[in-house]
Amino acid sequence: MQDMGMTDKQFNGFVRFVLDDINEVLEELKEDSKDKAKEKLEKVADNLQKTLED
């Protein structure tokens, strides 16, 4: 059986999709809210953005 891998373009598309969803959730969270969930989402979003920029 042969593995079906992703091209770089497909991977970047997937990352953009996930990043967009995370950013939507962050926008819905209150601006003054600094709970752990928001901080974790911000960290994930930042890491995904860095992946796209590399």
Side-chain angles (χ1 to χ4, degrees):
M1 185 169 157
Q2 187 177 6
D3 280 340
M4 297 291 292
M6 266 190 209
T7 65
D8 287 346
K9 191 170 186 170
Q10 289 170 324
F11 177 72
N12 283 347
F14 170 75
V15 170
R16 288 179 203 282
F17 175 76
V18 173
L19 183 58
D20 185 54
D21 285 347
I22 289 173
N23 284 327
E24 283 183 28
V25 172
L26 285 170
E27 287 176 19
E28 291 180 16
L29 294 173
K30 291 182 180 178
E31 290 290 326
D32 58 353
S33 175
K34 279 295 184 186
D35 59 350
K36 290 265 188 198
K38 184 176 179 185
E39 289 176 15
K40 288 179 181 180
L41 276 177
E42 288 172 341
K43 183 177 179 180
V44 170
D46 186 52
N47 286 335
L48 289 172
Q49 185 63 48
K50 288 177 184 175
T51 298
L52 289 174
E53 294 171 1
D54 286 342

